């Protein structure tokens, strides 16, 4: 079977070097590869065509935020117990497009009720959120889906939160990463593939998150995934605001 044959999906995670993707051929489960993309747009033009791209990055940004935020974060956190802190609160589109942290907080305060500032962790994601937001259209929603690794692991773990964190005090937690790797192996991903050295500018956690996202991409393709929240809303660009698992 030629490498391009079959149905290809991607699980994607943002990293310092760009976007790390686990590409999988659903027609040939042993055919998978790890690839680093400098720009998210490169995933859209990649050949063989990626039928589903499941990416860990917020998609759909509201103009104004109410008490529940986008809704997607609240719906995901409800299932994650001790792991819910991994789901960052995403501010308004205007705040995301501010390139200065203080200005972003000021804009966020004006576009949220009750008024809320922006977390530093989320602020560091803004360049990548803007990168996807600049590309996204309602038409692309048939291929591009927002996911979150911890919700992915929850789904793969029999809808139970992972018992150990993947990071402790912002540092990698080997035991938590091994736990996630072993879960992915139990779902059919090869251990040597998951244990390979990640590309420069990517961490082991990025590789494992992309791999988990690739399994959710398969679920999406097979119409087994569901959106959180179920009754999601759309933003001013018409984009859905939902995390899939």
């Amino acid at each position: 079977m030629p490498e391009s044959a079959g149905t290809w999906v991607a699980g994607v995670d943002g990293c310092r070097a760009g976007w790390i993707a686990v590409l999988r051929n659903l027609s040939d489960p042993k055919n998978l590869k790890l690839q680093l993309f400098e720009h998210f747009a490169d995933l859209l033009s990649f050949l063989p065509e990626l039928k589903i791209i499941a990416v860990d990055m917020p998609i759909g940004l509201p103009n104004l935020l109410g008490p529940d935020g986008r809704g997607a974060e609240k719906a995901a956190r409800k299932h994650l117990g001790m792991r819910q802190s991994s789901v960052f609160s995403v501010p308004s589109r205007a705040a995301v497009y501010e390139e200065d942290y203080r200005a972003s907080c000021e804009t966020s305060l004006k576009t949220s009720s009750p008024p809320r500032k922006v977390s530093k962790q989320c602020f560091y994601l803004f360049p990548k959120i803007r990168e996807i937001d600049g590309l996204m259209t309602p038409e692309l929603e048939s291929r591009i889906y927002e996911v979150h690794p911890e919700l992915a692991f929850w789904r793969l773990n029999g809808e139970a939160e992972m018992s150990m964190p993947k990071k402790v005090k912002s540092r990698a937690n080997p035991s938590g990463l091994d736990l996630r790797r072993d879960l992915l192996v139990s779902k059919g991903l090869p251990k040597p593939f998951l244990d390979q050295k990640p590309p420069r500018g990517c961490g082991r956690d990025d590789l494992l998150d992309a791999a988990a996202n690739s399994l959710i991409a398969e679920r999406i393709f097979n119409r087994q995934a569901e959106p959180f929240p179920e009754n999601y809303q759309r933003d001013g660009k018409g984009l859905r605001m939902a995390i899939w698992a």
Side-chain angles (χ1 to χ4, degrees):
M1 177 185 291
E3 187 178 85
S4 60
T7 300
W8 286 84
V9 301
V12 185
D13 192 50
C15 61
R16 284 185 291 113
W19 304 88
I20 187 71
V22 171
L23 311 178
R24 297 177 52 234
N25 186 343
L26 302 185
S27 308
D28 180 10
K30 293 182 179 179
N31 193 352
L32 74 169
K33 52 177 105 170
L34 184 68
Q35 187 145 338
L36 180 65
F37 294 84
E38 184 178 357
H39 305 292
F40 189 79
D42 297 336
L43 284 144
L44 297 178
S45 58
F46 183 78
L47 294 175
E49 181 186 39
L50 302 171
K51 300 296 186 184
I52 301 292
I53 300 170
V55 58
D56 174 24
M57 199 58 60
I59 299 174
L61 304 171
N63 294 327
L64 297 170
L65 258 75
D68 292 337
R70 286 198 313 153
E73 287 86 5
K74 182 179 180 180
R77 288 190 192 111
K78 193 165 64 175
H79 301 284
L80 297 183
M82 294 291 288
R83 307 282 82 81
Q84 63 181 279
S85 62
S86 65
V87 183
F88 302 148
S89 295
V90 181
S92 66
R93 176 173 277 112
V96 168
Y97 275 81
E98 296 282 8
E99 297 187 14
D100 174 77
Y101 177 66
R102 197 170 290 181
S104 180
C105 284
E106 290 175 2
T107 299
S108 180
L109 287 169
K110 295 173 185 174
T111 53
S112 58
S113 178
R116 294 191 294 279
K117 291 185 177 180
V118 176
S119 75
K120 271 283 178 66
Q121 293 162 305
C122 191
F123 177 75
Y124 292 137
L125 297 177
F126 284 2
K128 283 188 162 51
I129 298 176
R130 292 194 293 263
E131 188 178 344
I132 292 184
D133 188 58
L135 293 168
M136 276 303 296
T137 64
E139 291 72 31
L140 281 174
E141 289 184 340
S142 62
R143 292 181 67 195
I144 303 174
Y145 291 75
E146 176 184 348
V147 295
H148 190 283
E150 286 306 310
L151 193 65
F153 284 117
W154 165 83
R155 176 69 82 193
L156 299 170
N157 195 38
E159 301 185 2
E161 68 186 90
M162 301 303 286
S163 60
M164 289 187 284
K166 64 182 180 184
K167 288 188 176 181
V168 175
K169 295 182 179 178
S170 300
R171 291 176 177 261
N173 176 26
S175 298
L177 293 174
D178 286 347
L179 181 72
R180 286 158 177 77
R181 188 241 2 244
D182 293 345
L183 175 59
L184 296 174
V185 170
S186 76
K187 299 301 177 182
L189 297 186
K191 185 173 181 290
F193 178 88
L194 298 171
D195 281 340
Q196 69 181 289
K197 185 178 180 180
R200 184 186 295 272
C202 300
R204 185 185 177 205
D205 59 325
D206 299 321
L207 191 164
L208 295 176
D209 286 351
N213 295 342
S214 78
L215 292 175
I216 300 303
E218 180 179 5
R219 287 179 56 85
I220 292 169
F221 181 81
N222 291 330
R223 301 180 183 274
Q224 297 170 330
E226 61 182 302
F228 293 78
E230 182 180 1
N231 299 315
Y232 56 81
Q233 296 182 325
R234 291 184 176 272
D235 71 3
K237 288 177 63 174
L239 302 176
R240 64 186 169 217
M241 295 181 283
I243 300 172
W244 293 75

